[in-house]
Structures are given as C-alpha cells and as structure tokens.
C-alpha cells in the first residue's frame, strides 16, 4: 500500500512541340530534386497513336509525372537542348523499342544520353520490347539491322570528311547503346493484352520509384534537425559497412513520419529498397501477418515473383539470399519483438553499403535480434525522438487549426494553453488542431477544460498500444504506480517504497525507460510526458469510472479524502495521495484525519 501525505498533484519550360505532362494527383517530383518521374522515349510515327498513347495516359492517370515527346521526329536533326534537359531531370526513362525505333537518329541520340545518365547517376532505364526480339536489338538484326545499314549508307554518301567522321562516331555509339539496352531487364508483351501489359508497367514504375510512399509524404514541421541527422547518417556511411539506425520514442511522436519522409527522399539512390509499415499492427491478431510482410519484402528486394510459401523460416532464407546480393535500403516501421526482426532481417548479413532504419518504442530491441549476435554485427546507432519545441508546436497546431502559420486574432492565449498541454507531442497537436478548425474561442476553452478530465481518444489509443505492448505485468503495474503517484519523485525514494510493496523496480524502471515511458531528470527525479502520464491514469480510471473506491489507485485528493471519510475501498485500493491541507479547507479536526489514515493502514 502507498500513502503519500502533503504531496501536490503532479502535474517547366519547353518548346511547344515538347509536351511535359504531369499528374495533378498529389505529388511533385521537384521535391526530390527532379522535375519528372518518367521520360518516355519512342518512335513517333510508329506507336504514337496506339501503344505509347495508351501507356502515356495510364501513367498520367496513376499520378506519374511524365515527359512525353509529342513531335514527329525528323531524321538528321540534332537533339534539342530542352529534350536533353528533360532526360537529365527525370528519375527514370521508359524506352519503347518498336520495329522502327532505330530508323530515327533522334531516338538513337536519346538512347545514348539515357544510358549515359544511367551510368553516371541513379537514373532507372526500363526498355519495352514492343513486338521486337531483344536479340534483334542486341545484334542489330531484322528491322534494327536494316535501319543501321541505312544510317551507314548516309554516312558513306557524305562528302565532307569531318561530317563523315562525326557520322562514324555516332553510329558506333548507337551500336553500343542498342547492345547495352538489350541486355537490361525489360518488359516484353509476350502474348499478353496491351491493357494488361500497360497495367504491369505502371505497377513496376510505382514500385521502383516508390511513388506510393512519396505521394503521402507528410508535412514535417519542426523535424528539420531530425531529417538532417538521418540524411547525414545515410550519406556518411562507408560503402564497405552495413549501418542500422534505430529511431525510437513514444507513440505518436513522429517516428513513422520521419522514416517515411527520408525513405521517400533517398530510396531511389539504392539498388533496391523496401518500406514495411505498421509491422506490429499487421502482425497482431492476424494469422498470416508476418508471412504477408515477408512476402512483401521479398517482392521488393528480389524484384521477382516466386511461389508463395507458408513457412516463416523459408521466407527468411529467401530474404537473406536477396539481402546478400544487392545494396539495399530498408525501413522496418513499428517493430515490437525480436521475432519480427529475425524474420525480416535474418542473421546472415547484408551487401556492403546497405542501410536499415528501424522504428520502435523499445530502444534496446534491435540489439536482441539474431543479426547482432553474430560476427557480422552491423554498425548500430540509436536516435531518440522527443517532443517539438514551443515554436514548432505552435506552427503545427496553427497549420491544422487555421491552415496558416499564425493564430487568428484573439486565439493567442488559448493556443498557448493547448501547446503547453500537448508538451510537443505531434499527434496530439495534429488531432486537437483538426478538431478545433473553424471553432470559436469559447469552444477552444471548453476543449481545454475537457482535456483536464479525460484524454482525447485518438491520442490515448496510440499511447495505449505502447502500454499494451509491455511484456511483463510487473512493468504495467509499475507504470501505473508511477503515473499516479511518483512523477517528480526521486528515483531512489520511489524504488524504496515500491520494492516494499513487492514491485520489481530495478529492472522495471529500466524497461520503462527503454520503452520511452519514463526518463530520469538531472536531479534523479522520475519524468514522464504529460500525455503518457494521463494515459496511465486513464487506464486506472477505467477500472471504475463512477465509483472511485473501486479503483486500484487514487491520485485526486478530493476523491481520496471522500473514500477515507466514507471508509470505502477496502478491497481494491492499493494506494492513494492525500494533501493534508484539505483538512483546513474542509474545517475538520485532526482527529478526523487520524481516523481516516488509521483506517487506511488497517486495510
């Protein structure tokens, strides 16, 4: 039993013939340093009004920012500067290799430039063999052989020695480029319908460019320092090592948003990458949850479809083999057990230069997985996410409540109160900001009063998931004890009291610190985020909402006094707080206190 006396409550520019077309479906490649997602190269008179037109429309409808060459190409013209710029400003190129593709010197010049981009940057090249054989492209046979023969005839007919020499150099580059592009992994219609073929191409583009992640990239107000840290970690690593970064913090603090943002910025710089989100939620309560995640990871990093298996260990072996072959960038979001890590990372290591980001609520979880118990232990860093500062908190609240970066006149004081209440918690600021949009000041004041009585449900649900994930009942009980009574109290004093109540505090407090429920202040006092503390108290309050004497803990002095006075709570009550000064306010005698306190000691 815990009785604390006299303790206050804790508290684009291009020519008209070159048409850069882009989607309005929610993303802009300029955020990644590119103007376009895809440059579409094709022989105009060959496929412009059929396959390429259908492919272009499908790309636009899928939200893929595409530069389309919409001009009939004249043989012999040099590549225009704006077209060269568009290739360099694109993340990927799709090359539609039709039967007449090589008849165009313009297309061949495009091909040379595209492959140069591929060699000097992370430009992705996707050849499409549209009713042509890759071997004919590689060996310049059939229609490709005929086209190259005609270019050679044009060269031989040239009377100017310098121009003939230039032709010879070009033809040599074209031959090499055709050979090179035919060796790349491409797409062949291979008897499929055009509609099905185009759908598969669009899905492949989405997967390889990770546009599904970028399109929902959140606005990260106040996270610039964290973004810079993770960016520096990504850029500074040696190509001969494998680096793992654990981003940890309480629920709703921004771990997922940060990891998703950085992944969207830099995933294209790796040979292959994968972002696996909400791992704990997808595993909990679903029989094949972990198998489904393994299947997704296998598809992302192996780029091949395989027979679905129903054994976690078999999938782990497949993942290990794929990770050993390529430099990868993985983000594993919301890991809660070493079983999940072992299944998704294996224990045989990675290709040098690979990067892995893990988000979790447990700072020491990564160290317990099998990968870190071998001789190939990767270089590991931890990064703690804390709450936003007051300025960033205000900006985030205002962005949702007023859709601008400053408060409306008359809302300054209530804004400050809400910012103080949220203590820099991004999810709380976002949820409250959205709920207060277009509300008057009186409504804001009422919301603040309501928050003092009961934590906002969406925020509580996120934080409660962290509480429910605590593996030991001792740690859950310890957390509730601290949330109700010991925030702001010296750690040693707390341990002395609770050890006497048969609560394991030595390992328990360490576990709560690792899970970001608790921290230790400079003067050895226990510190807890206000929203986390309220979540803990909310859990206790749910034991009996209307009958406080049936709860296990009482921290409200008025409720404690009432229960003592009425001599209730003998069965469930484990501890309470009582401010002695309440006796003077209630105009009661000392004897009344002694009777109440004595009753609690006998209970």
């Amino acid at each position: 039993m815990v009785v604390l006396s006299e303790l206050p409550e804790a508290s684009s520019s291009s020519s008209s013939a070159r048409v850069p077309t882009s989607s309005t479906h929610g993303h802009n490649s300029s955020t990644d340093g590119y103007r376009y997602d895809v440059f579409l190269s094709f022989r105009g008179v060959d496929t412009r009004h059929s396959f390429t037109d259908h492919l272009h429309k499908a790309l636009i409808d899928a939200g893929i920012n595409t530069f389309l060459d919409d001009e009939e190409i004249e043989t012999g013209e040099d590549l225009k500067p704006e077209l060269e710029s568009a290739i360099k400003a694109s993340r990927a190129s799709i090359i539609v290799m039709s039967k007449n593709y090589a008849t165009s010197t313009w297309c061949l010049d495009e091909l040379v430039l595209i492959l140069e981009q591929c060699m000097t940057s992370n430009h992705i090249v996707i050849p499409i063999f549209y009713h042509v054989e890759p071997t004919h492209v590689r060996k310049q046979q059939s229609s490709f052989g005929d086209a190259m023969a005609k270019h050679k005839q044009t060269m031989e007919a040239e009377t100017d020695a310098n121009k003939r020499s230039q032709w010879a150099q070009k033809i040599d580059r074209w031959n090499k480029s055709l050979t090179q592009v035919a060796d790349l992994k491409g797409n062949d219609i291979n008897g499929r319908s055009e509609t099905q073929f185009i759908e598969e191409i669009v899905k492949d583009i989405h997967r390889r460019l990770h546009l599904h992640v970028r399109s929902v990239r959140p606005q990260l107000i106040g996270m610039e320092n964290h973004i810079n840290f993770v960016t520096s970690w990504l850029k500074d690593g040696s190509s001969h090592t494998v680096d793992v970064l654990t981003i940890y913090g309480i629920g709703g603090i921004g771990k997922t948003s940060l990891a998703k943002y950085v992944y969207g910025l830099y995933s294209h710089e790796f040979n292959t990458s994968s972002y696996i989100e909400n791992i704990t939620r997808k595993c909990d309560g679903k029989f094949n949850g972990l198998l489904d995640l393994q299947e997704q990871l296998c598809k992302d990093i192996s780029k091949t479809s395989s027979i679905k298996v129903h054994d976690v260990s078999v999938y782990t072996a497949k993942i290990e083999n794929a990770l050993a072959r390529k430099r990868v960038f993985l983000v594993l979001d919301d890991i809660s057990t070493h079983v999940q890590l072992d299944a998704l990372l294996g224990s045989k290591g990675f290709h040098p230069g690979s990067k892995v980001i893990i988000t979790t609520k447990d700072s020491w979880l990564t160290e317990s997985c099998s990968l870190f118990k071998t001789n190939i232990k990767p270089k590991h860093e931890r990064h703690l996410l804390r709450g936003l500062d007051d300025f960033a908190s205000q900006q985030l609240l205002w962005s949702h409540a007023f859709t601008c970066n400053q408060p409306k006149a008359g809302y300054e004081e209530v804004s400050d109160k809400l910012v103080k209440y949220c203590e820099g918690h991004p999810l709380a600021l976002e949820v409250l900001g959205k709920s207060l949009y277009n509300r008057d000041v009186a409504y804001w004041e009422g919301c603040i009063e309501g928050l003092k009585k009961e934590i906002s449900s969406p925020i509580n649900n996120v934080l409660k998931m962290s509480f429910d994930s605590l593996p030991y009942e001792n740690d859950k009980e310890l957390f509730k004890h601290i949330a109700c009574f010991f925030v702001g109290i010296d750690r040693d004093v707390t341990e002395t009291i609770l050890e006497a109540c048969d609560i394991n505090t030595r390992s328990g407090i360490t576990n709560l610190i690792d899970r970001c429920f608790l921290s230790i202040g400079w003067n050895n006092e226990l510190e807890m985020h206000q929203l986390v503390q309220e979540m803990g108290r909310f859990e206790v309050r749910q034991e009996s909402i209307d009958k406080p004497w049936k709860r296990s803990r009482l921290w409200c002095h008025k409720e404690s006094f009432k229960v003592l006075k009425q001599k209730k709570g003998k069965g469930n009550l484990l501890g309470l707080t009582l401010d002695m000064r309440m006796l003077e306010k209630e105009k009661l005698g000392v004897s009344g206190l002694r009777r109440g306190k004595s009753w609690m000691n006998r209970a």
Side-chain angles (χ1 to χ4, degrees), residues 275-438:
Y275 180 91
I276 311 294
E277 190 172 13
N278 292 325
I279 291 173
T280 295
R281 180 173 61 81
K282 291 176 180 177
C283 287
D284 287 348
K286 188 175 181 182
F287 180 73
N288 288 328
L290 189 54
L291 282 169
D292 291 343
L293 294 176
Q294 288 182 304
E295 181 183 18
Q296 178 187 341
L297 180 56
C298 273
K299 287 181 178 179
D300 287 346
I301 63 179
S302 65
K303 310 300 183 186
T304 58
S305 59
S306 58
I307 299 175
K308 187 177 179 68
V309 297
H310 301 281
D311 188 322
V312 169
S313 62
V314 174
Y315 259 136
T316 300
K318 290 177 176 289
I319 292 170
E320 288 175 334
N321 292 335
L323 293 176
R325 292 196 302 265
K326 295 180 180 180
R327 176 174 171 263
V328 302
F329 179 26
L330 302 184
V331 173
L332 304 181
D333 171 59
D334 193 23
I335 290 283
S336 59
T337 69
H338 65 84
V339 174
Q340 296 164 355
L341 276 178
D342 289 345
L344 295 171
L345 295 182
S347 60
K348 295 184 179 179
F350 295 75
H351 190 280
S354 294
K355 297 279 188 175
V356 181
I357 293 178
I358 295 167
T359 73
T360 181
K361 302 175 185 73
D362 186 346
S363 64
W364 284 95
L365 180 65
T366 309
E367 296 285 352
S368 67
C369 72
S370 298
L371 186 64
F372 282 79
K373 298 176 181 177
T374 64
N375 294 330
I376 53 175
K377 181 178 179 180
K379 181 181 177 183
H380 182 218
E381 288 191 49
R382 296 185 186 87
H383 185 65
L384 172 63
L385 282 193
R386 299 185 184 275
L388 305 177
D389 60 32
D390 286 349
F391 177 76
S393 295
Q394 290 172 336
Q395 295 293 307
L396 183 56
L397 176 67
W398 298 339
S399 70
H400 292 291
F402 308 118
T403 63
C404 63
N405 60 0
Q406 58 186 9
K408 292 180 180 179
Y411 285 80
E412 295 84 357
E413 185 176 346
V414 288
S415 292
D416 288 343
K417 289 179 181 178
L418 278 174
V419 165
K420 183 177 181 181
Y421 170 79
C422 292
E423 289 188 358
H425 193 277
L427 179 63
L429 291 161
E430 179 181 349
V431 169
L432 290 175
K434 288 179 177 178
S435 69
L436 295 170
Y437 177 71
N438 269 348

Side-chain angles (χ1 to χ4, degrees), residues 522-536:
W522 65 272
N523 56 352
N524 204 41
E525 291 182 352
L526 301 181
E527 296 180 348
M528 186 177 288
H529 193 286
Q530 178 174 308
L531 297 180
V532 174
Q533 182 181 17
E534 290 194 13
M535 180 270 292

Side-chain angles (χ1 to χ4, degrees), residues 443-458:
Y443 189 93
W444 281 55
E445 292 285 3
C447 174
I448 294 171
E449 289 301 315
L451 290 172
K452 294 177 181 178
K453 298 176 181 179
E454 185 171 343
I455 192 169
S456 178
S457 180

